[in-house]
Amino acid sequence: MIRLARLDDGAPAIFATLQGEGPQTGRPSTFVRLSGCNLHCVWCDTPHTWYFEGTRFEHRSARRFQRETEVLALEVADVAERVRALSPRALVLTGGEPMAQQRALEELLHLLGPDFTVDVETNGTLAPKEPLTARIDTFVVSPKLANSGMAESLRIKPAALQTLAATGRAWFKWVVDSEVAVDEVKALVERLGLPDDRQILMPEGTTSAQLRERSPAVARWCLERGWRFSDRLHVHLYGGGRGV
Ligand code: SF4
């Protein structure tokens, strides 16, 4: 079984859209959004994957979600069939935290066979294991900073990040909202020995207006460091939300 998030209409969160962030921005992709996360970022843009009634963690939104209505467990074969029914052959496994369900994903990729390129979007706290690792084309790793509201011991796991870096297939995408955050990224990249040519800064923001306001500063920080910039295309195109 795979624990999935749901779309607004209650259907499993398996959908085709343009990738909105990271190194593959603009690529038509089939997304599978898994439910459940081992972290709890205050600004998380997918709180319906973990911010359930009864959790002791806080999120900046006022609304808590019902676990019973937000989480859907499907047979792996059912998920594979739904993925195959969509046209993009670039698969994006996202969450929540997909690396919390590695066995199920291993089975899914086995059923899908070699026709798909596979990207994983992860918070970088859980190291991927073989044989799953070998099947992933790109890891888009988004380690969390102090602006996420969590202690560093929870959100930065050096061994997992170094395992991801060692694959040679990982990009590190940092959500930044200030120069202080960029200095934090720089210190982490240096301390952990992460590859300088694989770093991406992305403005924090869930509306097009917020992103437009914050992007010029992030672009400047990218140029200063020699790092890439990522926008959030799906927010500009569709306003964010589920299924895009
Ligand atoms: S790691 Fe990602 S999915 Fe998990 S709480 Fe943070 S932003 Fe949300």
Side-chain angles (χ1 to χ4, degrees):
M1 305 292 274
I2 302 185
R3 293 186 310 283
L4 296 165
R6 294 182 190 251
L7 301 177
D8 285 325
D9 63 1
I14 301 169
F15 54 93
T17 189
L18 299 180
Q19 170 59 275
E21 303 176 355
Q24 314 288 4
T25 297
R27 185 176 68 172
S29 304
T30 294
F31 277 70
V32 176
R33 185 177 301 287
L34 280 69
S35 191
C37 188
N38 60 331
L39 297 184
H40 44 273
C41 307
V42 290
W43 45 254
C44 176
D45 63 352
T46 55
H48 60 288
T49 64
W50 64 272
Y51 189 51
F52 302 128
E53 288 290 347
T55 179
R56 64 194 169 89
F57 303 119
E58 288 305 321
H59 185 269
R60 67 166 61 143
S61 77
R63 178 180 173 198
R64 283 179 187 260
F65 297 86
Q66 301 290 331
R67 187 186 299 270
E68 301 71 32
T69 52
E70 293 291 347
V71 185
L72 182 62
L74 287 187
E75 296 287 349
V76 176
D78 187 357
V79 175
E81 196 174 319
R82 291 169 189 263
V83 167
R84 269 196 222 98
L86 297 169
S87 57
R89 287 301 180 253
L91 179 64
V92 179
L93 303 171
T94 191
E97 177 44 61
M99 289 299 88
Q101 299 189 59
Q102 293 193 36
R103 293 295 294 275
L105 293 179
E106 222 177 272
E107 199 182 333
L108 174 66
L109 297 180
H110 177 72
L111 288 178
L112 288 173
D115 297 342
F116 289 80
T117 62
V118 186
D119 289 8
V120 165
E121 297 182 333
T122 174
N123 61 33
T125 58
L126 302 170
K129 300 188 179 89
E130 295 293 357
L132 182 67
T133 311
R135 181 64 187 86
I136 307 302
D137 295 278
T138 306
F139 291 96
V140 183
V141 186
S142 190
K144 304 310 174 208
L145 300 171
N147 64 22
S148 64
M150 289 172 294
E152 182 173 324
S153 57
L154 279 181
R155 56 187 165 78
I156 300 295
K157 300 290 183 186
L161 292 171
Q162 283 157 351
T163 299
L164 285 156
T167 65
R169 286 170 274 133
W171 288 89
F172 296 85
K173 177 166 63 74
W174 309 84
V175 178
V176 292
D177 55 359
S178 67
E179 193 143 21
V180 171
V182 179
D183 288 343
E184 196 184 341
V185 176
K186 190 166 176 249
L188 284 166
V189 168
E190 285 172 7
R191 174 156 62 89
L192 300 174
L194 302 179
D196 207 46
D197 60 348
R198 288 271 172 162
Q199 307 302 320
I200 301 172
L201 299 181
M202 186 174 82
E204 195 267 315
T206 52
T207 67
S208 199
Q210 283 172 342
L211 293 170
R212 275 200 306 275
E213 184 192 329
R214 295 169 184 175
S215 286
V218 178
R220 192 172 67 247
W221 297 327
C222 283
L223 271 172
E224 284 168 9
R225 311 282 187 211
W227 291 344
R228 285 199 188 190
F229 172 90
S230 174
D231 205 346
R232 307 194 73 208
L233 179 65
H234 55 305
V235 174
H236 294 299
L237 286 177
Y238 310 114
R242 304 190 191 192
V244 296

